[in-house]
Amino acid sequence: WTPVDTSASPDELHEVSAALGSSPDQHEPHRKLERILDYRGSAVGSGEPLDWAMGELLAYGTLLQEGINVRLTGEDVQRGTFSHRHSVLIDMKTGTPHIPLNEIRETQGNICIHNSPVTEGGCIGFEYGYSLGDPNMLVVWEAQFGDFANAGQVFFDQFIASAEKKWARWSGLVLLLPHGYEGQGPEHSSARLERFLQLCADNNMEVVNPTTPAQVFHMLRRQAKRDFRKPLIVMSPKSLLRHPAARSPLSEFTNGAFQHVIDDPMQPKPERVDRVLFCSGKVYYDLVAHREKIDAGHTAIVRVEQLYPLPAVEIEAMLKRYDGVKKMMWVQEEPRNMGAWSYINEQFTCCFGRTLQYIGRPENDTPAVASTKMHASEQHQLLIEAIGI
């Protein structure tokens, strides 16, 4: 797949930032949003790292600058289920909505942002059809929690994963499925990553698990700017939306592209490393925090940001960099019979001839425990097994 330039100029980002931080003179958004609007208006020029909401909104805004239309729907997308997006501002006196992204410049694309009913099957089917009807628009549907996408499983099986081969119909639909173990229970933890990976073959779609705002920026922009269309399944975060470490400097927006694999930013010397942890998603930040807590400089942590198609070249480079390390592990939050383990284990064995040790929760018939205390205990045990005590 030919790479595309997904960077944006500082001037473009400044223009979007200014629009995000403003509202009409007579418009009175909720007073609690004043701090957020002040941040958005000055974020690009402040020199401070940008948070997840800015990464996403800057992606939409810069696409709109290029004349690319955007459609964003889902059960709470205007505010964001976790109150991070606030893409539609409501006047507290009149109820009049204001969409800052539609006020960037006179000549731009249009973004439509609609909250949709909690009828996932119907909504996913509708948005899939919309993506076929307007292939040049970036069409995004977000689940309130990734688990809720279960109700649309028939559309994943019958259309999204297989329509290209069955009927030569190409779709660029983006599905944002909040995923991550924060102790919220069986129905609010897992977007069923394993099911999507089982549907992957012949480059039919992409499955990604981005961990930084810059990654989601480049991911969304490349989806719209490519000269072909493939469905994009995103394990999107919950706690990372406000995690102080999940920030990206402006330079990562004005340069670079989506990274399929991210090496340990600490750049440990391979000769000092006695174990390499491969992981994907939010668990990376838990591993880093535990490594710092116990000062485990012997551990390297590598993120696989794109799970399918598997970035074989980049993974091979990581294996070569840490060639002398005997302990290679796959760390995940999900139970052993879920998540990416079965897929990753087979890929590493077949493609690279390497055997990974599994670190994670044992097999289970439910995605997560229902007790916050039990969740915390499991998560702590997982970190100890991966890095030490």
Side-chain angles (χ1 to χ4, degrees):
W1 295 0
T2 305
V4 296
D5 182 9
T6 55
S7 61
S9 72
D11 289 343
E12 290 170 328
L13 296 173
H14 273 287
E15 187 180 27
V16 177
S17 176
L20 290 172
S22 64
S23 60
D25 291 339
Q26 303 304 317
H27 193 272
E28 296 186 27
H30 197 287
R31 64 180 182 276
K32 290 186 177 180
L33 296 182
E34 292 178 1
R35 181 180 57 82
I36 293 176
L37 296 179
D38 288 343
Y39 162 72
R40 291 180 178 180
S42 61
V44 171
S46 69
E48 295 295 320
L50 305 180
D51 67 12
W52 199 279
M54 281 299 292
E56 180 189 359
L57 295 173
L58 287 173
Y60 299 142
T62 51
L63 289 173
L64 295 169
Q65 287 173 325
E66 298 177 41
I68 298 173
N69 296 324
V70 178
R71 176 177 171 84
L72 175 61
T73 65
E75 288 144 350
D76 197 2
V77 291
Q78 293 183 349
R79 180 194 64 152
T81 297
F82 312 102
S83 196
H84 79 288
R85 186 176 288 123
H86 295 291
S87 55
V88 178
L89 307 178
I90 305 297
D91 188 295
M92 291 300 293
K93 292 184 177 179
T94 66
T96 304
H98 170 65
I99 303 177
L101 285 170
N102 277 333
E103 307 296 334
I104 301 171
R105 58 174 62 165
E106 289 186 6
T107 56
Q108 64 167 79
N110 182 67
I111 183 170
C112 51
I113 308 170
H114 302 294
N115 291 337
S116 62
V118 189
T119 51
E120 294 83 5
C123 292
I124 292 170
F126 186 89
E127 299 307 323
Y128 172 74
Y130 210 108
S131 72
L132 298 179
D134 192 348
N136 293 317
M137 173 182 270
L138 178 66
V139 180
V140 182
W141 182 80
E142 180 180 61
Q144 196 166 39
F145 285 84
D147 316 59
F148 300 175
N150 283 346
Q153 192 68 39
V154 64
F155 289 100
F156 303 137
D157 295 344
Q158 295 296 107
F159 299 95
I160 293 172
S162 57
E164 180 179 340
K165 182 166 289 185
K166 291 194 288 189
W167 306 302
R169 298 304 308 270
W170 289 266
S171 167
L173 177 64
V174 179
L175 294 168
L176 301 182
L177 308 179
H179 176 85
Y181 282 53
E182 279 97 8
Q184 294 178 298
E187 312 306 333
H188 298 83
S189 298
S190 176
R192 292 293 192 173
L193 171 61
E194 66 279 358
R195 294 181 181 174
F196 291 103
L197 291 175
Q198 288 172 350
L199 291 171
C200 291
D202 297 328
N203 294 328
N204 61 333
M205 57 186 179
E206 285 184 302
V207 179
V208 302
N209 198 351
T211 57
T212 72
Q215 283 286 84
V216 78
F217 173 83
H218 291 295
M219 174 195 75
L220 291 169
R221 283 180 53 78
R222 77 171 184 175
Q223 182 71 1
K225 291 170 67 65
R226 282 171 166 163
D227 59 2
F228 62 89
R229 295 290 176 259
K230 298 278 185 178
L232 174 62
I233 312 299
V234 184
M235 299 291 109
S236 62
K238 294 178 288 184
S239 62
L240 297 192
L241 299 175
R242 291 181 178 81
H243 198 294
R247 301 287 188 271
S248 298
L250 184 64
S251 60
E252 293 185 4
F253 296 83
T254 57
N255 298 286
F258 183 81
Q259 300 179 71
H260 300 102
V261 177
I262 302 179
D263 193 6
D264 195 319
M266 298 300 291
Q267 291 292 302
K269 294 181 179 180
E271 61 270 19
R272 295 184 57 194
V273 171
D274 70 3
R275 67 186 66 193
V276 178
L277 309 180
F278 287 92
C279 66
S280 185
K282 167 247 174 186
V283 72
Y284 163 77
Y285 290 96
D286 294 336
L287 290 168
V288 167
H290 187 70
R291 179 176 65 176
E292 292 178 356
K293 181 179 179 180
I294 67 171
D295 193 23
H298 61 279
T299 303
I301 307 173
V302 177
R303 282 168 280 178
V304 181
E305 301 276 292
Q306 178 167 298
L307 292 160
Y308 189 87
L310 189 74
V313 173
E314 291 91 337
I315 292 177
E316 186 70 54
M318 292 296 107
L319 293 174
K320 188 170 295 184
R321 168 171 163 75
Y322 299 106
D323 186 48
V325 181
K326 294 182 179 180
K327 289 184 180 179
M328 296 267 181
M329 307 173 181
W330 175 259
V331 185
Q332 67 177 36
E333 299 181 294
E334 305 89 346
R336 187 185 184 108
N337 56 321
M338 302 177 194
W341 164 244
S342 296
Y343 164 78
I344 285 290
N345 185 40
E346 181 179 9
Q347 295 297 318
F348 267 71
T349 302
C350 296
C351 297
F352 312 116
R354 301 296 295 259
T355 301
L356 296 179
Q357 178 185 344
Y358 171 78
I359 303 292
R361 288 171 167 82
E363 291 185 354
N364 203 343
D365 55 0
T366 182
V369 294
S371 162
T372 303
K373 289 184 178 180
M374 289 177 64
H375 159 79
S377 176
E378 288 182 342
Q379 197 78 352
H380 185 61
Q381 182 62 35
L382 179 157
L383 299 174
I384 291 174
E385 290 181 14
I387 300 177
I389 192 169

